[in-house]
Every structure is written in structure tokens, then in C-alpha cells.
Amino acid sequence: MSERSDGSPVEEGARGPVRERFVTGADGVRLSVAEYGEGPGDAARPTVVLLHGYPDSKEVWSRVVPLLADRFHVVLYDVRGHGRSQAPAPLKGGFTLDRLTADFLAVADAVSPDRPVHLVGHDWGSVQGWEFVTVPQTRGRIASFTSVSGPSLDHFGHWIRERVRRPTARHLAQVLSQGAKSWYIYALHTPVLPELAWRGPLGKRWPAMMARAEKLPRGDYPTASLPRDAAHGAWLYRDNVRQRLSHPRPDPRPHVPVQLVTPTGDPFLSVPLYADLERWVPDLTRRTLPVKHWVPRTRPDQLAGWVTEFVSRTDRESGRDGERGSDPAPTGSSKVPSVLGKGRAEAVERFGGQLVLVTGAASGIGRATALAFAEAGARVVAVDRDGEGAARTVELARRAGAPEAWPETVDVSDARAMEELAIRTSADRGVPDVVVNNAGIGLAGSFLDTSPADWKEVLDVNLWGVIHGCRLFGRQMVERGQGGHIVNTASAAAFQPSRALPAYSTSKAAVLMLSECLRAELAPHGIGVSAICPGFVATPITASARHTGVDAAEQQRRRDRSAKLYKLRNYPPEKVARAIVHAVQRDLAVVPVTPEAHGLRLLSRLAPGVARTLARVDPPL
Ligand code: NAI
């Protein structure tokens, strides 16, 4: 931890020495600037400027800085009137976007005189960022822009105009919804009252309100300067918003690539606000996260990962890192057939950079699922007791587009091994955003032919494996407090009784009920739970499924027969993988996959008597 000259902490936990200085911005206003990591001039260390929003100071970035400072020259500054920066006098008219642009240029020139900087803005830092990347005077001074929870006022103005000019029901609903979320903007336009509130009760209560609303640990953020920052910052709105929304500039196109991070649970900004963005921004990378407004506080890991990837990519593509156009990732994605097809773009937006753990990932549905998330740009942990198979999945996942992928050789029925896996994963890679408990085995044979050992084997893997995964990773997700999703692979056998599959069907019915119960319990934590129920899917499960009560020759004959039938049915595991990705995107509770699974689910509801009659027929497994 570094200390200010007055002894108070600057950045909790930030790595490396911090250098503080003052830079003179527009109208002679002195701006407080902090720098981390190596200085400029080193080609391998691009400069990343992090710009805070309202009501914040640069300390809002304290959880992001340590994750970037190893790789980048990281620069923060307090916007005029905030933190340790001087306030303009008079305040009125002192916060116009042209003054803020001049401040930014002064800082960029001071910290990186020879190379353009990469800009990351949150909230009003992002609103300012949009201005910086769309005005001519910053050309050549900015290399890329990552926007988090803060729209361009020009784009916002055009967005309203278009919806008011073509008032379809959907357009009006969007304007009204955003209008309701913007209540605080009207409030900040009233004179004096916001200042009184911030310097009085609101300023005192804000830290607790923030902590509760965003599920943040209480600490030394927000800082003691909050009431003053918030009172001054009201002028950001008053000096700019009304004027710019009513008269947006005609062609606000950025001159740099833009990465847009949209938290889908933002109480202040609705997702449709960004719907038209491709019109203005041809080079746009979209990312979404199911969290609220303060992404730099709640998901610093994810944000830092996206910034790292985007900055490295834009520098590589522009040749700033000396390797123009080269692609360092051994993707070769053309060699791995696409699992997602048309759904790729949406999946990339939703899962890019997220951590996804899949069990039973060495084969069949698990491998296809790992590859689907890899194609969406997720970081993948492929878990299987078949270590070689998991390693092969990891190799394919990297080629399919996973920025990182790791194999884990673990038996899901082993409680201790699963506990170690959970500890290792969170320590080395973070808390998974999505966990797919998919590992499973087949067991066929009548109830009277099924021994306690057979029952134990199938329940240990198919049910206990899922319980361990849900319990360990569900707890991690709850403790992180930022949502997540758990997928459990059940089966159509969970809907349909069968005289030939008592143990397997029981295990899958239990997985279905477990998923429903857990879904109810985890919903208040923003964690979704889905049960996937496929019918017959062409995977190697038929070759490994055991048949009880028969000799080895008969077992082989039955395996061959079911393998042949599954092959004839020819339903590919990739379609199940797509259904899994879709289930997470839409937060679906129970997802039958294949027509027979839909049919059996309907039958169990509408004609259970028929289902019971069917149960007496031997299925092909
Ligand atoms: P698969 O046999 O191709 O893949 C299952 C994977 O799970 C294998 O890589 C295997 O090594 C792994 N595994 C098994 N026991 C494990 C353990 N104790 N610990 C770690 N890994 C273990 O089978 P498939 O078809 O891909 O099955 C995946 C899931 O889908 C299973 O839960 C299965 O019950 C379920 N399912 C499969 C259907 C099908 O028709 N193939 C239909 C409905 C559900």
C-alpha cells in the first residue's frame, strides 16, 4: 500500500510503487495523477488511463490497478473538482466537455508524450471517454477505448430522437424505461439541493447504500472526499447533459476501436440504450456481464481481463507492439468446426473472458460444451477422470478460441478431490462464472439385478458428482456475490420411468429435482440453475454403459446394439452443447433436448398413465 503525502492510503493493494504528480489542465486547474507499473517508452508496456465516474474519485479503480500494473503503465487521475484535483472557479461552466477533453490531453501528454494511450472509462469517465474519442483534437493520442456503464451523450441524444420520431410501442417503452432509470439526472439539475444532500445525510449513508446495493465488502471505498466529489460533480450533469441530449452532434463516430462493457443489471442504464451503437462504431467489441453498475468494484478480475485482451489485440493489429497483424493465440479455429454457428456473436458478447468449468469434458456432450464456450471466448476448465481426454479437449478448446484452458484430472464422485479442485480453481483462476456438472455414466438392468455396489457406483457419479459441484462452486459464487450459473446434465430418463433403467433414471430424476430446489435457493443471489434433459445423443456413453444381470458376452452384444441405435438416431452432442449455452443465456430452468425428450416430458404431464405403460417396454440402452 502506498501513502499520500498526508499519510492516507492512495490505492489499497496496488502493485509496484505509485508515482504521484500534479498536471495542469484547462484554465490552470491542477489535476492529481497517479501512475503504476513501468513508465512510458517501453513498447511492451502500453499506457492505460483509467477514468472514474460520478460520484467517485480515482480510488474506484483500486481493485483493478493491481491486475493491470504487472503488464501496463497504469495511470489514474482525479477529474477536476474530485479527489485531490482542484475545482474550477466558478463551478458553473467549469465542467464542460471541452474543458474535460483539454484536461485529458494534458494528462496524456504528461504521462505518455510519444505514444497514444488506451482509455478505460466508467460511468461519467466513460461519458467523457466517448467525447474524447469522437473529437478531432485527440486523434493520434488515444489507441483504444473501453466504455463501462456510461453512454455517449451524442449517441444518447440520437437514440431518444429516433424513438420519439418513430414512436412504435417498443420504442416508447424503451424511452419510458430509460427515462425512469434517469430520475437522478433530473434531481441533479435542481439547484443547491443535491449539494446539501451530499454534504449531509446522503453523503453519510452512501457507502452503506452502495455496499448493500452492489453487494460490496465495506472497506476504505468510497473515500472521505465523497461528499465534496459528489457536490462538485453535479456540475458534470448541469454543464452538459441537457444541452447535448437536445442537440447531439451530427456524426459522433469514434476514431479508435471501442470495447463496450454492458452490465445487464445496471439500475441507471438500460441495455437497449446501446442497441444502435454499431451505426456509430464500426469497430465495436461487445461484452456483457450480469451485474449492477459498479463493475470496477464488483468484477475487477473480469474487467482487467477484458482490458488486457483488448489493449493487446488493438496494439497487435495496429503494429504498435511490432508484430502487426500477427495472431499469437494458437487458435487455428478453422480446424475446429464451429459448435455455435449463428449463435456465436451473442455467445461471445455474453461469455467472452468468463471462466467456465465443465465436468465430463473429455468426451461427448461435455467436450462439445467445453468447445462451445471456448468458441465464445470463455476461459475453460475441462474436468474429467480421463486426464488424456481432458488434455485433448483443452488443446481443441484453445484452437476453438479459448484465451486460456486447463485440464483437470478429477473423479467427480470423490468429495475430497472435488474440494481440492474448487480450492485450486478459485485460487489460480478465480470463481467460475458457469459450472456445468455433466460427468455421468450409464447403467442398465432391472432393479432386482442391480446390486448395492451398482447403485453406489451410479449414484456416486451421476448424483454425488453433481451435488459436490453444486455445493462447492455454488458456495463460491454466493460468497463472491456477483451471480453465476450452474448447469446440471440430467436426462429425458428423469421424466420417464423405465423397468430397464431404475438406477440411472433415479439418479437423473434426483438431479432434476436437485436443480429445481437449488434454483429456488440461489435465485436471490443472482445465480441461475438449469437442468438439461437430452434424449438419445450419439456419444461414446453406449460403449461404457454397464448392463447388469448378464454375462460379458451379452453385455457386449447389448452395448453394440445400443451403439448402433444411437448412431442411427444420430443426434450430435454439439446440439446439446448449444442448448446448454442457450440455457445459460436465457436462464432456463429445465431444458429438454431432442424431440423424444420434449415428447416424454409432455407425456409425463398430460398422460402419465401412458408413460407408465411405456415403462414396461425395454428401451434400446
Ligand atoms: P460420454 O461417455 O461421452 O462422456 C462422459 C464423460 O464423463 C467421459 O469423458 C467420462 O470419462 C466422464 N466421467 C464419467 N465418470 C466420471 C467421474 N466419476 N469423474 C469424472 N469424469 C467422469 O457420455 P455423454 O453422453 O457425453 O454423457 C454426458 C452426460 O449426459 C452424462 O451425465 C449422461 O448421463 C448424460 N446424458 C447422455 C445422454 C446420451 O444419450 N448420450 C442422454 C441423456 C443424458
Side-chain angles (χ1 to χ4, degrees), residues 26 51 138 149 294 342 433 437 556 583:
L51 192 50
T138 57
S149 301
W294 264 273
K342 281 191 291 208
D433 299 285
N437 293 302
Q556 196 50 50

PDB file of all heavy atoms in Angstrom, residues 26 51 138 149 294 342 433 437 556 583:
ATOM      1  N   ALA A  26      -7.072  22.406 -18.191  1.00  0.00           N
ATOM      2  CA  ALA A  26      -7.687  23.621 -18.741  1.00  0.00           C
ATOM      3  C   ALA A  26      -7.872  24.671 -17.650  1.00  0.00           C
ATOM      4  O   ALA A  26      -8.100  24.327 -16.484  1.00  0.00           O
ATOM      5  CB  ALA A  26      -9.041  23.270 -19.350  1.00  0.00           C
ATOM      6  N   LEU A  51     -10.356   6.174 -16.051  1.00  0.00           N
ATOM      7  CA  LEU A  51     -11.034   7.425 -15.705  1.00  0.00           C
ATOM      8  C   LEU A  51     -12.306   7.134 -14.913  1.00  0.00           C
ATOM      9  O   LEU A  51     -13.190   6.403 -15.382  1.00  0.00           O
ATOM     10  CB  LEU A  51     -11.349   8.190 -16.997  1.00  0.00           C
ATOM     11  CG  LEU A  51     -11.806   9.631 -16.824  1.00  0.00           C
ATOM     12  CD1 LEU A  51     -10.877  10.420 -15.904  1.00  0.00           C
ATOM     13  CD2 LEU A  51     -11.892  10.315 -18.182  1.00  0.00           C
ATOM     14  N   THR A 138      -8.095  14.893 -30.318  1.00  0.00           N
ATOM     15  CA  THR A 138      -7.418  13.780 -29.630  1.00  0.00           C
ATOM     16  C   THR A 138      -6.908  12.734 -30.616  1.00  0.00           C
ATOM     17  O   THR A 138      -6.361  11.708 -30.203  1.00  0.00           O
ATOM     18  CB  THR A 138      -8.398  13.075 -28.674  1.00  0.00           C
ATOM     19  OG1 THR A 138      -9.507  12.637 -29.445  1.00  0.00           O
ATOM     20  CG2 THR A 138      -8.868  13.976 -27.563  1.00  0.00           C
ATOM     21  N   SER A 149     -20.514   1.281 -18.566  1.00  0.00           N
ATOM     22  CA  SER A 149     -21.652   1.947 -17.914  1.00  0.00           C
ATOM     23  C   SER A 149     -21.651   3.457 -18.077  1.00  0.00           C
ATOM     24  O   SER A 149     -21.816   4.176 -17.093  1.00  0.00           O
ATOM     25  CB  SER A 149     -21.664   1.649 -16.407  1.00  0.00           C
ATOM     26  OG  SER A 149     -21.751   0.307 -16.165  1.00  0.00           O
ATOM     27  N   TRP A 294     -21.434  -0.834 -10.686  1.00  0.00           N
ATOM     28  CA  TRP A 294     -20.037  -0.538 -10.339  1.00  0.00           C
ATOM     29  C   TRP A 294     -19.097  -1.709 -10.678  1.00  0.00           C
ATOM     30  O   TRP A 294     -18.503  -2.316  -9.789  1.00  0.00           O
ATOM     31  CB  TRP A 294     -19.944  -0.129  -8.871  1.00  0.00           C
ATOM     32  CG  TRP A 294     -19.954   1.358  -8.722  1.00  0.00           C
ATOM     33  CD1 TRP A 294     -18.871   2.180  -8.773  1.00  0.00           C
ATOM     34  CD2 TRP A 294     -21.088   2.206  -8.541  1.00  0.00           C
ATOM     35  NE1 TRP A 294     -19.268   3.498  -8.645  1.00  0.00           N
ATOM     36  CE2 TRP A 294     -20.610   3.550  -8.498  1.00  0.00           C
ATOM     37  CE3 TRP A 294     -22.454   1.988  -8.426  1.00  0.00           C
ATOM     38  CZ2 TRP A 294     -21.457   4.643  -8.333  1.00  0.00           C
ATOM     39  CZ3 TRP A 294     -23.294   3.076  -8.263  1.00  0.00           C
ATOM     40  CH2 TRP A 294     -22.790   4.384  -8.224  1.00  0.00           C
ATOM     41  N   LYS A 342     -24.596 -19.766 -35.888  1.00  0.00           N
ATOM     42  CA  LYS A 342     -25.135 -18.397 -35.917  1.00  0.00           C
ATOM     43  C   LYS A 342     -25.190 -17.757 -34.526  1.00  0.00           C
ATOM     44  O   LYS A 342     -25.267 -16.542 -34.404  1.00  0.00           O
ATOM     45  CB  LYS A 342     -26.544 -18.411 -36.515  1.00  0.00           C
ATOM     46  CG  LYS A 342     -26.518 -18.492 -38.046  1.00  0.00           C
ATOM     47  CD  LYS A 342     -27.892 -18.235 -38.615  1.00  0.00           C
ATOM     48  CE  LYS A 342     -28.801 -19.352 -38.277  1.00  0.00           C
ATOM     49  NZ  LYS A 342     -29.886 -19.803 -38.934  1.00  0.00           N
ATOM     50  N   ASP A 433     -17.714 -18.498 -13.540  1.00  0.00           N
ATOM     51  CA  ASP A 433     -18.978 -17.818 -13.840  1.00  0.00           C
ATOM     52  C   ASP A 433     -20.046 -18.835 -14.215  1.00  0.00           C
ATOM     53  O   ASP A 433     -21.226 -18.613 -13.980  1.00  0.00           O
ATOM     54  CB  ASP A 433     -18.770 -16.839 -15.000  1.00  0.00           C
ATOM     55  CG  ASP A 433     -17.755 -15.782 -14.635  1.00  0.00           C
ATOM     56  OD1 ASP A 433     -18.111 -14.890 -13.856  1.00  0.00           O
ATOM     57  OD2 ASP A 433     -16.595 -15.864 -15.082  1.00  0.00           O
ATOM     58  N   ASN A 437     -22.117 -29.322 -14.502  1.00  0.00           N
ATOM     59  CA  ASN A 437     -21.933 -30.641 -13.884  1.00  0.00           C
ATOM     60  C   ASN A 437     -22.507 -31.681 -14.836  1.00  0.00           C
ATOM     61  O   ASN A 437     -23.717 -31.934 -14.840  1.00  0.00           O
ATOM     62  CB  ASN A 437     -22.662 -30.696 -12.543  1.00  0.00           C
ATOM     63  CG  ASN A 437     -22.030 -29.768 -11.530  1.00  0.00           C
ATOM     64  OD1 ASN A 437     -20.842 -29.886 -11.229  1.00  0.00           O
ATOM     65  ND2 ASN A 437     -22.808 -28.828 -11.014  1.00  0.00           N
ATOM     66  N   GLN A 556     -21.626 -57.166 -24.058  1.00  0.00           N
ATOM     67  CA  GLN A 556     -21.038 -56.607 -25.280  1.00  0.00           C
ATOM     68  C   GLN A 556     -22.072 -56.515 -26.395  1.00  0.00           C
ATOM     69  O   GLN A 556     -22.146 -55.528 -27.123  1.00  0.00           O
ATOM     70  CB  GLN A 556     -19.838 -57.466 -25.719  1.00  0.00           C
ATOM     71  CG  GLN A 556     -18.924 -56.780 -26.739  1.00  0.00           C
ATOM     72  CD  GLN A 556     -18.513 -55.356 -26.293  1.00  0.00           C
ATOM     73  OE1 GLN A 556     -18.065 -55.153 -25.167  1.00  0.00           O
ATOM     74  NE2 GLN A 556     -18.726 -54.366 -27.156  1.00  0.00           N
ATOM     75  N   ALA A 583     -29.344 -22.152 -22.557  1.00  0.00           N
ATOM     76  CA  ALA A 583     -29.973 -22.216 -21.223  1.00  0.00           C
ATOM     77  C   ALA A 583     -29.341 -21.203 -20.279  1.00  0.00           C
ATOM     78  O   ALA A 583     -30.026 -20.572 -19.469  1.00  0.00           O
ATOM     79  CB  ALA A 583     -29.836 -23.623 -20.653  1.00  0.00           C
TER      80      ALA A 583
END
